[in-house]
Amino acid sequence: MTIKKATHQETRTHNRDLILKTVFDADTISRAEIARMTGLTRPTVSDLVNDLLTEGLVEEVGVGSSMGGKSPILLSLVKDSRYMISLNLAYDRFCGEVVNLRGEVRAEEIAPVSGRDGEQALGLAYKILDRLTGLDLKPLVGIGVGTPGLVNTREGVVVNAVNLDWRNLPLARLLQDRYHLPTHIMNDSQAAAIGEFVYGGGYRSDDSLVVINAGQGIGAGILINGRLFQGDGGSAGEIGHIVVQENGSRCRCGKQGCLETLTGSRAVLGRAQALAPDFPASRFSRNPEAITLDSLVDAFSSNDPLAEQVVSDAARYLGLSIAGLVSTLDIHRFVLTGDMTRFGQRWLDAVREAAVRAAFPELAGDMHIDMGRLDYRSSLLGASALMLLDGYSLLFTHSSSD
């Protein structure tokens, strides 16, 4: 087997990205520290740092303490030297943000989604992006989109998003043609996983993690050794449409008894409304149509028997599914995001209890299930972070650095 030798330019690009990542990971850092951490020679580091200074991606910010000899000049990332647009196409609202290189929000646009008309949904996405691209936040280097449904990330195609009425929509090409920016499309649960992994804090670069987005639908994003796992077709983690109850409630996908019909917020509300007359001690027994997510969260915190029943049942099914993932993937760290996390610690404890009870005992002992730290922003931040996971080429505007 012939091993292809990297060209000089490929080696230079690799080393440049390695240095930039080292600066990304630090508050301030000297050239000597970069050389020590990366294993590159000091002349190589100095040469490539000059490229980063020319690009305006890093700056010299002062002088560090000396261990003897000349004091080192410290470098830092210029966080507002580049901007990216993140777009989260959630079930009930679309949210777009312009973020800098540290994931800090510089502008935001939010619009409610009404109905399930595919053309209207696309028009709403255009409306948000038109506003964000028209702002005086430049240069913009790319657009990252997290969307519900089955997504072919490699092709940039939304294969099937039921709530948005999209089938085989070439969303990446449409946005690239309209805005002339590199565009990356991915499933919103996968985007949330990247967001939590990169910005949630406390994860090593080679950690493994499963993030489950428990909202109206249910989906998972899987990171193995710090890399997003998407499977053969790009849709790994589509756990919401696994049938877990025979002859159960009809799912929007057309099947019966899917996980999301038992654990998603939409399903929990529907079940609460249907069961309310059977719970005379519940505040909702005479007015089930008044049940909303807000009122159900409040009722659960007050130990309302109806809320206790439907929320605990939902937690149990989610815990059972997590146990299956633990046994299949042997990943022990799980993060939960989405609307269902609003039910708080008791809901989380019920999920944990069900997962531990159902998992193989030798695996259950190392299992950690926690709430996400970023709320709805995990998908937004993940969509933008995706653009930089495989390299920093899109950040470079001068041809000499390409």
Side-chain angles (χ1 to χ4, degrees):
M1 180 178 176
T2 302
I3 299 176
K4 181 182 176 182
K5 187 176 180 179
T7 66
H8 170 74
Q9 187 58 47
E10 288 170 339
T11 300
R12 185 177 178 84
T13 299
H14 170 79
N15 292 341
R16 180 200 68 190
D17 287 359
L18 181 60
I19 291 171
L20 186 53
K21 183 183 186 305
T22 305
V23 176
F24 255 104
D25 293 342
D27 225 3
T28 60
I29 192 169
S30 69
R31 291 169 175 82
E33 287 176 299
I34 293 173
R36 185 165 57 252
M37 293 176 67
T38 61
L40 299 174
T41 66
R42 290 198 180 193
T44 296
V45 170
S46 293
D47 180 36
L48 292 173
V49 164
N50 286 339
D51 283 354
L52 300 179
L53 290 167
T54 299
E55 285 283 345
L57 286 165
V58 303
E59 61 183 345
E60 296 178 339
V61 293
V63 177
S65 57
S66 173
M67 300 295 291
K70 187 177 179 182
S71 297
I73 297 174
L74 298 179
L75 303 165
S76 183
L77 181 74
V78 182
K79 61 184 181 180
D80 285 296
S81 60
R82 305 288 190 274
Y83 299 99
M84 296 169 286
I85 292 179
S86 301
L87 187 62
N88 182 15
L89 307 180
Y91 290 97
D92 56 349
R93 64 177 184 172
F94 288 0
C95 181
E97 294 180 345
V98 178
V99 299
N100 67 13
L101 294 178
R102 289 292 187 201
E104 297 169 342
V105 180
R106 292 298 182 247
E108 183 178 59
E109 289 284 341
I110 298 176
V113 177
S114 59
R116 285 173 46 178
D117 183 285
E119 286 296 326
Q120 287 183 3
L122 184 59
L124 186 58
Y126 286 156
K127 184 178 180 180
I128 290 173
L129 291 172
D130 286 348
R131 290 175 177 172
L132 294 177
T133 54
L135 298 174
D136 189 23
L137 291 168
K138 302 292 188 294
L140 290 169
V141 297
I143 299 171
V145 182
T147 176
L150 293 176
V151 181
N152 183 330
T153 301
R154 299 180 188 90
E155 301 295 328
V157 173
V158 181
V159 178
N160 186 11
V162 176
N163 275 46
L164 300 177
D165 192 29
W166 287 347
R167 275 189 171 275
N168 297 315
L169 180 73
L171 186 58
R173 179 178 60 77
L174 292 173
L175 298 185
Q176 285 173 179
D177 289 348
R178 185 180 180 94
Y179 300 106
H180 309 293
L181 289 169
T183 302
H184 300 264
I185 312 293
M186 69 186 318
N187 172 268
D188 58 347
S189 296
Q190 294 179 352
I194 294 176
E196 288 287 345
F197 187 79
V198 174
Y199 295 105
Y203 300 108
R204 301 192 310 266
S205 61
D206 60 348
D207 275 345
S208 296
L209 175 72
V210 176
V211 175
I212 296 177
N213 187 14
Q216 291 189 31
I218 304 291
I222 303 166
L223 286 131
I224 299 176
N225 299 326
R227 308 290 294 182
L228 182 67
F229 177 74
Q230 294 183 294
D232 292 339
S235 298
E238 196 64 40
I239 63 173
H241 296 289
I242 297 173
V243 174
V244 294
Q245 185 183 68
E246 288 190 12
N247 301 316
S249 299
R250 179 73 61 181
C251 181
R252 58 199 173 91
C253 74
K255 295 185 294 185
Q256 288 179 271
C258 290
L259 179 63
E260 92 170 30
T261 68
L262 296 161
T263 59
S265 59
R266 186 207 306 261
V268 169
L269 285 177
R271 188 159 183 256
Q273 290 166 350
L275 293 179
D278 300 330
F279 285 79
S282 170
R283 68 172 76 170
F284 303 117
S285 61
R286 295 185 179 182
N287 193 19
E289 61 275 5
I291 300 176
T292 65
L293 186 60
D294 288 339
S295 63
L296 197 63
V297 168
D298 181 66
F300 184 67
S301 67
S302 302
N303 300 313
D304 181 276
L306 172 63
E308 291 271 348
Q309 183 71 57
V310 297
V311 174
S312 297
D313 286 348
R316 178 167 55 87
Y317 276 105
L318 183 57
L320 293 173
S321 298
I322 289 174
L325 290 171
V326 170
S327 296
T328 302
L329 300 171
D330 194 20
I331 293 176
H332 301 152
R333 299 187 71 172
F334 289 78
V335 169
L336 308 181
T337 66
D339 288 341
M340 290 300 293
T341 63
R342 294 180 57 190
F343 290 102
Q345 188 63 43
R346 286 199 300 129
W347 170 80
L348 178 62
D349 289 342
V351 173
R352 287 171 171 166
E353 181 182 346
V356 169
R357 191 168 58 244
F360 193 57
E362 281 75 7
L363 297 177
D366 293 327
M367 184 167 49
H368 299 275
I369 305 173
D370 299 294
M371 300 278 205
R373 300 183 182 183
L374 303 175
D375 196 22
Y376 75 96
R377 294 207 64 234
S378 59
S379 181
L380 283 162
L381 289 171
S384 61
L386 172 69
M387 292 184 277
L388 302 180
L389 281 186
D390 293 323
Y392 300 112
S393 294
L394 60 78
L395 300 181
F396 291 85
T397 58
H398 292 82
S399 59
S400 61
S401 298
D402 294 338

